[in-house]
Amino acid sequence: MLSEAISRAGSSFPVDIWRSMLEVVRKTMDVMALKTPAVEDIAMSRFYESFLSCLHLILTDPKCSVSDHVSVFVAVLRMFLNYGLSGRTPSTLLVGHSKKDLNNVSPKAHREHLNKSDRSVYRPPHLRKRDCSNVKPNRAAHSQYISDSESSTMNVTSSDSDFSDGDGSAKESAKGQNSRVRVAAIICIQDLCQADSKSFSMQWSLLLPTSDALQPRTRDATLMTCLLFDPCLKVRMASASTLVAMLDGPSSNFLQVAEYKESSKLGSFTALSSSLGQILLEIHRGILYLIQHEAHGKLLASLFKIIRLLILNTPYSRMPPNLLPTVITSLKTRIAGGFRYKSDQNNLLDAAVGCLTLALSTSPSSAQVRKMLHDEISSGYLENGKKSGVLFLLFEYSSQGSCPSICLEALQALKAAFHNYPSIVTACWELVSATVYSFLSIVCPEVPSKQSSEHVGSTTVCINEKVLITAIKVLDECLRAVSGFQGTEDLSDDKMVDPFTSDFIRMKKVSSAPSYELEYRDLEVVNPEECESGIKQWCEAMEKHMPLILSHSSAMVRAASVTCFAGMTSSVFISFTKEKQDFILSSLVRAAVHDNASSVRSASCRAIGVISCFPQVCQSAEVLDRFIHAVEINTRDALISVRITASWALANICDAIRHCVRVLHFGQMDSNSNPQFIVSLSECALRLTEDGDKVKSNAVRALGYISQIFNCSTSRSHETSVHSLDQRTEAPIASENPMVCQRRCLLDSLEDFHRLEKIVQAFISCITTGNVKVQWNVCHALGNLFLNETLRLQDMDWAPVVFGILLQLLHNSSNFKIRIQAAAALAVPLSVQDYGRSFPDIVRSIEHIMENIDQDPISGPSNFKYRVSLQKQLTLTMLHVLRFTSSTNDQLLKDFLVKKASILEDWLKRLCSSVGGMVDVQDKSVADRKKVMISRAIQSLIEVYKEKQQYAITQKFEELKNIL
């Protein structure tokens, strides 16, 4: 009755009613928990089923919190996981097996013996009904839960349909009733997981095995026990569904802390991480066993969902090394073995290959998986066509055009393998090249992108296009791997990293670059032979594949082909003939300017941004002019996706020009005014600072590079220039008159000065209106501005404002990366005059931050890994400004340094001791550079204290200097 009331009007019940119902259920479960084991007869099994069905309705849409009840509910529900099976021990169930042999009994055999033991001789319905009427329920047992009057009036044969001919004997009906109780209990467990995942996550160790998952359990059953050994398919399906809910919900997030430890290394107390590691390992064992042996299609589909979620949530780097290779091998074996029913073949094969893709793309890469793939290649599986290898299997399915969906999954798996294990690409290149070319050679109906909406139902066309695009992405991944692509070329001028930050530079991982971690770890860096191999393969792709895909009618195919150029390296580009280089450059410019598809234009801008950083390209004024024209057009595109990549390319072009001007002395930057391309780039970037944050961050980066080479030589005397210009306005305008040229130069200089002011104002505006990424780029850009050799910061009215903004970010920003970059920018000026009147405030602020850095709260987990880097950068900046303190005339600042003498002494002592502990040859050079910086700072302080006649303090710092 309660279940019927909830199902009909439960949504209208007030919260108090829901809370009362939960309390009633809780009290009933408290009684059940005290009276174990559960009574197994037909009457009580019906009561349990009704009770659990009522609990299911309550948990499906709870109007109040259930966190206080989760632990009790789980403990009681766990009692019903083997309901109706607990009285049958394995020794009686597994006929023909002794206790010694029980460990060798498979779950399938166990289920068959359970079913066989429950079978009995057929009895007609009237005799079965008489048997049931003669069954006398155990009143003593029933009175634990219901009253005697209720048990005496209960109709155990509520309807004839319960014992119809199709249901078999009364014993068979009882078995079915018991299985319904188990299903109801498992469904309630799933409801608890979805109702309160946080509280439920603490109960995983009760519901999942930590050891011996493949052994039958007569007690302490788990969900894996039900999935492996229960004779009822519905129970196993419910168990699989619950496991999916547990692994797919928020409660699975804490699995990332899992760590496997051998039982011999576990003490009396098992940490949560170790317990989770054991659970994950046992789930892997059970699911992989079932994947190998299960034949039921729907259950197999659920198993593939479970293993997919397991792969996503398992930190394999902290699990047994052979676990991930075992997953890959098991999936490969099941795929090679096929599936029993043809109706399930394609769907199950899709799911299995999809799981294989996830396993191959697991990060970080596995050394054991790499060894497995290399062993497969060295054994000749690919050349000889042996079918026992993973790669051969994937190549076989990727070439089957009869089933495009499976072909698509196989290609994605190959792409994942080449991305995570790039060292196998060279051996697989011929098969990749042939596979991609075979797709390009197939004549199939192609639909232009603008008509794709008219062919939504045309699955053949859509899938064929997706397969071709994926095949091109596989080709792209191979080309990146063999050429050693690691992202955009580094054009940094200063290859000598600051000594205090060199140990804490975090290498930026480029997602589009193959994963070379294993190669670097084993010191297998790309050698010249591999570079030559990459050049050969790029040439083959340029001659064989590119002409076909660059002119394809599908926009997505053209975009994928242009993206291949974004994975090229300068060593490959320089190896091409002039004809091939011109083909690449002209193809990119033509696609960026003339292609109607936005995806193609965006991909072209991305490739232009990569290739513009090649030294051979950025030194060509003609090529840069074409690139600037193509990118500038796309910065005006209506789509934000195009403007983002165009602004990114614009910033890279500015970086390339800055590099050429400063390092290679390319371009005519010695004149009084800036070249026209600098003016055009700055105007374009200034316009983009008014766009969205993603565009704005790239625009600010571009302005930072421009401001480093911007000619500011005339800005120091701009007022004189304006005055002189006014006096010469009456001069006759003649081409031969030198006054005209001088007037024009003054006009250009005045425009440059105003343009520089606009750039600085854009920086200030972006700091206040931009997001975290924009603010970081502004700090980086200001550091570039301070590097401008023609700029006199002390003469700039905006300099105090800029320094004040950097100090404010250093003090108040919650993002440590922004604070690091702000501190780095403050360490750029090379004299006390460059700091101007802001110098005293800068010294005081940095000293205050250094003094209180240990009490600085970490606002979020993402900042934790940057804390040490911030401390090192602050140390570098502090030493940099201290070296200028003796050159300032600010007496208040010197008094401040006297006041902080003891704090500075202790800090410098710690620095000196850290330098003294560096004994390695490589560390010695870094230590020497550190000593020079520390010594300069100490010497400057000594001069300050001498001037202030603080002889005792002076002596302490002189002794400190002598230590170095």
Side-chain angles (χ1 to χ4, degrees):
M1 293 177 63
L2 181 59
S3 299
E4 187 176 356
I6 295 174
S7 60
R8 290 187 177 184
S11 59
S12 61
F13 288 172
V15 176
D16 292 341
I17 298 297
W18 281 98
R19 191 174 289 111
S20 300
M21 288 191 296
L22 273 174
E23 290 296 334
V24 170
V25 173
R26 168 65 182 268
K27 290 179 181 179
T28 306
M29 283 198 159
D30 287 339
V31 175
M32 290 182 180
L34 296 174
K35 304 295 183 179
T36 57
V39 179
E40 297 182 3
D41 62 35
I42 192 68
M44 287 307 298
S45 65
R46 289 179 180 235
F47 166 73
Y48 291 145
E49 182 185 6
S50 300
F51 176 77
L52 294 175
S53 298
C54 179
L55 177 61
H56 165 65
L57 292 174
I58 295 174
L59 295 176
T60 300
D61 185 22
K63 298 296 190 297
C64 57
S65 174
V66 298
S67 57
D68 295 336
H69 310 292
V70 170
S71 58
V72 174
F73 286 2
V74 169
V76 175
L77 291 171
R78 187 181 175 213
M79 294 165 42
F80 294 104
L81 295 181
N82 59 353
Y83 184 78
L85 304 174
S86 58
R88 291 167 288 178
T89 62
S91 58
T92 59
L93 291 174
L94 302 179
V95 180
H97 295 278
S98 62
K99 290 185 178 180
K100 184 184 297 185
D101 298 330
L102 286 180
N103 290 339
N104 299 323
V105 178
S106 68
K108 182 178 180 181
H110 191 179
R111 291 194 301 270
E112 290 176 352
H113 281 288
L114 283 173
N115 284 321
K116 184 176 181 181
S117 63
D118 283 334
R119 290 174 188 162
S120 56
V121 180
Y122 173 80
R123 289 176 65 78
H126 66 283
L127 294 180
R128 295 202 301 270
K129 191 170 183 179
R130 183 188 303 170
D131 291 340
C132 287
S133 63
N134 292 332
V135 175
K136 296 182 179 180
N138 187 340
R139 290 182 179 271
H142 290 180
S143 63
Q144 300 170 5
Y145 306 102
I146 55 178
S147 64
D148 290 342
S149 59
E150 290 173 331
S151 61
S152 62
T153 58
M154 179 176 289
N155 182 11
V156 294
T157 55
S158 58
S159 66
D160 290 338
S161 61
D162 291 335
F163 299 99
S164 62
D165 288 341
D167 289 330
S169 65
K171 189 175 182 180
E172 192 76 18
S173 178
K175 185 182 77 168
Q177 180 65 42
N178 293 340
S179 67
R180 286 196 291 273
V181 173
R182 298 196 296 275
V183 170
I186 294 172
I187 291 175
C188 288
I189 292 174
Q190 182 174 340
D191 294 334
L192 278 175
C193 174
Q194 295 169 343
D196 192 341
S197 59
K198 184 176 180 180
S199 301
F200 184 82
S201 61
M202 296 298 102
Q203 310 299 319
W204 277 46
S205 58
L206 293 176
L207 295 170
L208 297 170
T210 56
S211 63
D212 301 329
L214 295 180
Q215 306 307 322
R217 296 167 181 257
T218 56
R219 296 180 181 179
D220 298 331
T222 64
L223 290 173
M224 285 300 299
T225 308
C226 299
L227 184 59
L228 284 163
F229 299 103
D230 200 289
C232 178
L233 178 62
K234 289 184 178 180
V235 176
R236 300 174 66 210
M237 291 290 296
S239 301
S241 177
T242 303
L243 280 172
V244 169
M246 292 171 66
L247 292 170
D248 198 22
S251 60
S252 64
N253 294 335
F254 76 123
L255 289 175
Q256 295 304 313
V257 305
E259 181 181 14
Y260 175 77
K261 290 185 179 179
E262 296 180 2
S263 56
S264 58
K265 296 181 180 180
L266 296 176
S268 57
F269 171 76
T270 303
L272 174 64
S273 58
S274 301
S275 176
L276 292 175
Q278 295 282 348
I279 288 173
L280 285 176
L281 180 62
E282 295 304 321
I283 296 177
H284 273 84
R285 286 175 176 168
I287 299 302
L288 291 178
Y289 175 88
L290 286 173
I291 286 176
Q292 294 295 324
H293 298 88
E294 185 57 53
H296 192 272
K298 289 185 178 180
L299 183 55
L300 256 180
S302 296
L303 294 174
F304 284 129
K305 287 181 182 179
I306 295 173
I307 196 65
R308 179 185 183 88
L309 294 169
L310 267 181
I311 295 171
L312 287 173
N313 291 304
T314 301
Y316 286 100
S317 59
R318 297 194 297 273
M319 298 297 288
N322 64 338
L323 182 58
L324 186 58
T326 302
V327 172
I328 294 174
T329 304
S330 300
L331 290 170
K332 179 259 300 181
T333 303
R334 182 68 214 219
I335 292 170
F339 302 94
R340 178 177 298 181
Y341 302 106
K342 290 185 177 180
S343 58
D344 299 329
Q345 179 79 17
N346 289 346
N347 291 335
L348 293 177
L349 196 54
D350 281 352
V353 178
C355 294
L356 194 57
T357 302
L358 283 178
L360 290 170
S361 60
T362 298
S363 180
S365 307
S366 167
Q368 286 71 27
V369 173
R370 186 186 66 165
K371 183 179 183 302
M372 180 184 73
L373 297 177
H374 276 286
D375 290 344
E376 175 184 339
I377 293 171
S378 60
S379 300
Y381 289 156
L382 295 178
E383 292 83 353
N384 301 329
K386 296 182 180 179
K387 296 186 178 182
S388 56
V390 176
L391 295 174
F392 175 83
L393 193 73
L394 293 176
F395 275 113
E396 183 181 30
Y397 281 112
S398 65
S399 60
Q400 291 184 1
S402 57
C403 188
S405 61
I406 298 175
C407 177
L408 182 65
E409 290 289 349
L411 288 171
Q412 290 174 342
L414 284 173
K415 181 177 180 293
F418 296 146
H419 180 86
N420 259 11
Y421 308 96
S423 56
I424 68 173
V425 170
T426 303
C428 301
W429 169 254
E430 291 185 5
L431 281 173
V432 172
S433 178
T435 301
V436 175
Y437 188 74
S438 66
F439 286 118
L440 293 172
S441 303
I442 296 175
V443 180
C444 60
E446 297 165 354
V447 182
S449 295
K450 63 182 181 180
Q451 300 176 6
S452 60
S453 59
E454 302 174 5
H455 295 265
V456 173
S458 181
T459 56
T460 302
V461 173
C462 294
I463 292 180
N464 284 336
E465 183 177 342
K466 288 181 179 179
V467 169
L468 180 56
I469 293 169
T470 308
I472 296 172
K473 290 181 178 179
V474 173
L475 180 72
D476 183 15
E477 196 68 53
C478 290
L479 293 173
R480 291 171 189 249
V482 295
S483 58
F485 176 78
Q486 299 180 51
T488 309
E489 301 279 333
D490 184 15
L491 296 176
S492 175
D493 298 340
D494 186 11
K495 302 301 181 183
M496 187 69 72
V497 183
D498 292 318
F500 285 95
T501 58
S502 59
D503 297 336
F504 295 93
I505 293 178
R506 303 186 65 86
M507 299 302 295
K508 183 178 180 181
K509 184 179 175 69
V510 181
S511 59
S512 60
S515 177
Y516 299 102
E517 284 88 349
L518 289 175
E519 281 70 20
Y520 291 155
R521 193 181 308 158
D522 298 339
L523 299 180
E524 297 179 6
V525 186
V526 179
N527 55 41
E529 294 182 0
E530 290 176 343
C531 288
E532 291 179 6
S533 174
I535 293 168
K536 183 184 77 171
Q537 290 154 353
W538 260 105
C539 288
E540 180 181 348
M542 289 283 295
E543 296 172 359
K544 187 176 179 181
H545 305 99
M546 291 299 176
L548 296 176
I549 55 181
L550 285 172
S551 59
H552 201 275
S553 60
S554 168
M556 297 303 295
V557 173
R558 295 197 305 276
S561 65
V562 172
T563 303
C564 293
F565 292 129
M568 187 177 291
T569 60
S570 58
S571 60
V572 171
F573 184 82
I574 197 175
S575 68
F576 289 149
T577 62
K578 180 71 165 55
E579 181 182 359
K580 282 188 171 63
Q581 290 180 359
D582 291 341
F583 171 76
I584 294 172
L585 299 176
S586 59
S587 297
L588 292 178
V589 172
R590 182 170 57 253
V593 176
H594 300 294
D595 202 292
N596 294 326
S598 60
S599 59
V600 180
R601 297 196 302 274
S602 178
S604 301
C605 289
R606 174 70 62 179
I608 287 174
V610 172
I611 293 179
S612 63
C613 294
F614 295 170
Q616 307 85 2
V617 173
C618 64
Q619 296 176 39
S620 172
E622 179 186 357
V623 174
L624 281 180
D625 183 65
R626 294 168 63 190
F627 277 0
I628 292 171
H629 173 68
V631 168
E632 199 277 336
I633 290 176
N634 283 279
T635 59
R636 302 176 185 274
D637 197 274
L639 290 178
I640 184 66
S641 59
V642 178
R643 297 201 304 275
I644 289 173
T645 52
S647 62
W648 181 83
L650 180 74
N652 283 10
I653 291 174
C654 294
D655 188 17
I657 293 174
R658 175 201 60 83
H659 173 73
C660 292
V661 170
R662 288 182 57 86
V663 179
L664 306 175
H665 304 289
F666 166 76
Q668 299 178 358
M669 297 295 294
D670 297 329
S671 60
N672 290 330
S673 60
N674 291 285
Q676 183 58 40
F677 67 89
I678 293 291
V679 174
S680 300
L681 288 170
S682 60
E683 291 296 332
C684 181
L686 282 170
R687 173 171 50 82
L688 292 177
T689 57
E690 300 176 0
D691 209 317
D693 282 340
K694 290 186 177 181
V695 176
K696 189 183 298 183
S697 62
N698 289 320
V700 167
R701 186 164 66 92
L703 288 175
Y705 294 134
I706 292 174
S707 65
Q708 187 176 346
I709 59 174
F710 200 83
N711 194 337
C712 308
S713 58
T714 58
S715 62
R716 69 190 70 172
S717 56
H718 67 280
E719 293 181 356
T720 305
S721 301
V722 174
H723 180 66
S724 301
L725 179 64
D726 293 337
Q727 289 181 342
R728 294 181 174 90
T729 52
E730 302 299 329
I733 302 176
S735 59
E736 65 276 2
N737 193 339
M739 298 289 292
V740 175
C741 297
Q742 189 175 2
R743 182 173 179 271
R744 184 180 298 111
C745 291
L746 289 172
L747 280 171
D748 292 339
S749 299
L750 186 59
E751 290 180 1
D752 289 342
F753 175 76
H754 290 314
R755 187 170 292 108
L756 180 63
E757 284 191 330
K758 287 182 180 178
I759 291 174
V760 175
Q761 290 302 321
F763 290 157
I764 297 173
S765 174
C766 290
I767 280 284
T768 57
T769 62
N771 61 8
V772 170
K773 188 175 182 180
V774 175
Q775 292 177 352
W776 185 94
N777 277 286
V778 171
C779 294
H780 184 270
L782 288 174
N784 280 320
L785 174 63
F786 297 160
L787 287 171
N788 192 315
E789 298 174 355
T790 66
L791 178 66
R792 288 172 58 91
L793 276 173
Q794 64 269 30
D795 296 337
M796 300 294 108
D797 295 335
W798 43 260
V801 178
V802 168
F803 284 126
I805 288 175
L806 289 174
L807 287 176
Q808 184 179 3
L809 290 174
L810 185 57
H811 267 286
N812 303 327
S813 178
S814 60
N815 186 280
F816 278 19
K817 292 175 68 176
I818 292 177
R819 298 177 67 183
I820 292 170
Q821 199 60 46
L826 289 170
V828 172
L830 299 178
S831 67
V832 69
Q833 289 79 17
D834 288 340
Y835 288 104
R837 61 179 183 268
S838 300
F839 183 71
D841 292 334
I842 292 173
V843 175
R844 292 190 188 94
S845 297
I846 296 176
E847 191 282 331
H848 175 75
I849 296 172
M850 286 293 299
E851 185 178 344
N852 298 279
I853 187 66
D854 293 333
Q855 286 78 38
D856 197 1
I858 299 178
S859 58
S862 60
N863 282 330
F864 184 80
K865 58 186 177 182
Y866 296 105
R867 186 186 186 95
V868 177
S869 298
L870 176 60
Q871 292 174 339
K872 296 295 181 179
Q873 183 60 60
L874 283 171
T875 299
L876 176 66
T877 305
M878 187 64 181
L879 291 173
H880 179 78
V881 297
L882 283 178
R883 63 181 288 201
F884 301 134
T885 52
S886 60
S887 303
T888 182
N889 296 322
D890 193 298
Q891 297 303 316
L892 292 177
L893 174 61
K894 293 181 178 180
D895 292 338
F896 171 80
L897 294 174
V898 172
K899 181 181 177 181
K900 296 292 183 179
S902 60
I903 296 175
L904 292 173
E905 181 187 1
D906 293 338
W907 175 66
L908 288 168
K909 278 183 179 178
R910 291 195 298 270
L911 285 181
C912 292
S913 61
S914 66
V915 172
M918 304 174 72
V919 294
D920 293 342
V921 176
Q922 184 177 1
D923 292 341
K924 190 176 184 302
S925 62
V926 176
D928 291 340
R929 295 170 61 206
K930 288 184 177 181
K931 288 178 181 179
V932 171
M933 296 187 68
I934 297 172
S935 179
R936 288 175 179 173
I938 294 175
Q939 182 59 40
S940 181
L941 290 172
I942 289 173
E943 295 176 11
V944 170
Y945 296 139
K946 281 182 179 180
E947 181 184 344
K948 287 294 183 179
Q949 300 180 357
Q950 300 290 328
Y951 300 115
I953 298 176
T954 301
Q955 184 178 359
K956 290 181 179 180
F957 277 79
E958 286 178 344
E959 292 175 356
L960 191 59
K961 183 180 179 181
N962 293 332
I963 295 176
L964 291 175

